[in-house]
Amino acid sequence: ATPTPIAATPIACEGAELLLNGGFETNDAWYFGEDPLPGQFTPLQRHSGNRSVLLGNLPGNGIPDHYSYSSVRQLVTIPANATTAQLRWWHLYGTEDPDHPHVPCQQVILLSPDLKPLRTIRNVHSNEGAWNEDAVDLSDLRGQSFYIYFNALNDGDGHRTWMYIDDVSVRACFPSVNAPVVAPVTASGPLPTEIPLGAVAVSSQAVQVPD
């Protein structure tokens, strides 16, 4: 069954935004993984603004269902002197499999800078009729850099799975006294090495998600 949305608890301050282009209104800062069915910016669905990111195999697009990973990621750094940090995102998950019997395949994962899985944030197989917001505490990752990685896996069984992502945010709070100025995040530098097909999904299979 479709899980009941749970209201996300905001962090206790307005926070400094550490992520670039979280609403996907430009083509900056995000990297799509190489795949036969790559992710894409789309105006078909959006929580706000003019577009979101679509991952996976959308019904009616004329592309046969086949085994594929469809992903997008961005590198972020949590300053060491932050007091708290939080990831928030809006999602609209979809699947043609009404009973969801398969391995969870709508994923939110943290990857190390060399693209090794650090933590599985969400690993579900869900069908939603409306946008829902989710949030997770990243405070224990202060002083570290990692990728926020969204992935939709299709297993080629003929039942398509997809996900829309929008309004992604990573905010950090700082001590109120002598709070440092956070240097703006930039998207400059070489394009990271693409993540190998299957590298994340294989690692995440062992994660048990409650019904």
Side-chain angles (χ1 to χ4, degrees):
T2 301
T4 302
I6 300 174
T9 302
I11 55 178
C13 72
E14 182 177 348
E17 180 60 59
L18 305 178
L19 202 70
L20 282 174
N21 189 30
F24 307 111
E25 296 302 295
T26 70
N27 297 339
D28 299 325
W30 294 93
Y31 299 99
F32 292 101
E34 292 183 348
D35 188 81
L37 192 65
Q40 60 183 296
F41 300 110
T42 178
L44 294 177
Q45 291 278 359
R46 64 266 193 191
H47 173 254
S48 69
N50 295 314
R51 61 185 193 172
S52 65
V53 156
L54 169 63
L55 305 175
N57 199 344
L58 194 67
N61 63 7
I63 302 175
D65 181 45
H66 53 83
Y67 199 87
S68 62
Y69 299 87
S70 184
S71 68
V72 67
R73 69 187 188 274
Q74 183 178 150
L75 187 68
V76 66
T77 299
I78 307 296
N81 63 335
T83 55
T84 58
Q86 186 182 68
L87 165 66
R88 302 176 72 89
W89 73 100
W90 286 83
H91 51 83
L92 180 57
Y93 298 145
T95 180
E96 291 182 322
D97 218 331
D99 296 325
H100 321 306
H102 297 296
V103 172
C105 55
Q106 294 149 330
Q107 301 174 327
V108 185
I109 297 173
L110 304 185
L111 302 177
S112 66
D114 60 350
L115 301 178
K116 300 295 191 299
L118 292 176
R119 179 178 304 171
T120 299
I121 301 297
R122 294 291 182 268
N123 194 33
V124 301
H125 194 165
S126 179
N127 201 40
E128 299 177 310
W131 285 91
N132 291 294
E133 188 181 27
D134 214 339
V136 64
D137 191 344
L138 301 180
S139 300
D140 64 316
L141 296 174
R142 288 168 290 186
Q144 298 187 45
S145 298
F146 49 88
Y147 282 100
I148 307 295
Y149 174 88
F150 297 93
N151 177 53
L153 166 66
N154 275 275
D155 58 9
D157 72 340
H159 297 98
R160 293 170 176 81
T161 295
W162 63 95
M163 57 195 287
Y164 292 96
I165 301 296
D166 202 3
D167 294 328
V168 184
S169 176
V170 176
R171 289 188 175 273
C173 297
F174 296 90
S176 57
V177 179
N178 298 323
V181 177
V182 180
V185 181
T186 63
S188 61
L191 186 71
T193 302
E194 296 294 348
I195 189 164
L197 296 184
V200 171
V202 170
S203 172
S204 64
Q205 297 298 326
V207 177
Q208 298 298 316
V209 179
D211 296 331

